[in-house]
Amino acid sequence: ALRVNKSLTYLDLSNNQISDEGGKAIAAAVRDNQDLTELRLNDNKISDEGGRAIAAALRVNNSLTILRLNDNKISDEGVRAFAAALRVNNSLTILRLNDNK
């Protein structure tokens, strides 16, 4: 549903324990959705696997301006994936990764 939704601009799925599988599903939707501007995924047990998927989605997403991934399990490896994605992403202005691994 998120892949094709044209009206939702803000989505907060914090504190849902979606883990890496949920992170990968969200990443697939974010890759296709060009209307969502803010996504909050705080405290969801997302680790590097899910983080890498979300970072890859940022490479092609041009609408997301705020992404919050506080209090997950993303390590330096996942942070490097986000850094690489930000080299090509021109829309994201706020990325929160505090209190991760």
Side-chain angles (χ1 to χ4, degrees):
L2 183 58
R3 285 184 182 194
V4 296
N5 185 291
K6 299 289 183 197
S7 60
L8 189 68
T9 59
Y10 172 84
L11 180 60
D12 189 344
L13 291 172
S14 298
N15 304 302
N16 280 293
Q17 312 307 313
I18 63 172
S19 72
D20 287 328
E21 291 307 310
K24 290 188 284 187
I26 293 293
V30 165
R31 191 177 301 117
D32 296 333
N33 183 301
Q34 296 297 318
D35 297 290
L36 192 66
T37 59
E38 183 170 351
L39 177 59
R40 294 183 182 208
L41 296 172
N42 302 320
D43 195 18
N44 270 307
K45 297 185 179 178
I46 297 170
S47 70
D48 290 331
E49 183 181 355
R52 283 191 306 267
I54 295 167
L58 289 178
R59 291 176 171 268
V60 296
N61 180 284
N62 294 313
S63 65
L64 208 58
T65 59
I66 300 170
L67 175 59
R68 296 178 190 265
L69 284 159
N70 306 339
D71 300 307
N72 280 288
K73 297 180 176 185
I74 300 169
S75 73
D76 291 347
E77 178 186 339
V79 172
R80 283 191 289 275
F82 282 102
L86 291 176
R87 289 188 192 107
V88 295
N89 178 290
N90 294 316
S91 64
L92 201 66
T93 58
I94 297 172
L95 173 61
R96 298 290 304 266
L97 293 168
N98 52 299
D99 296 322
N100 272 277
K101 196 186 249 185

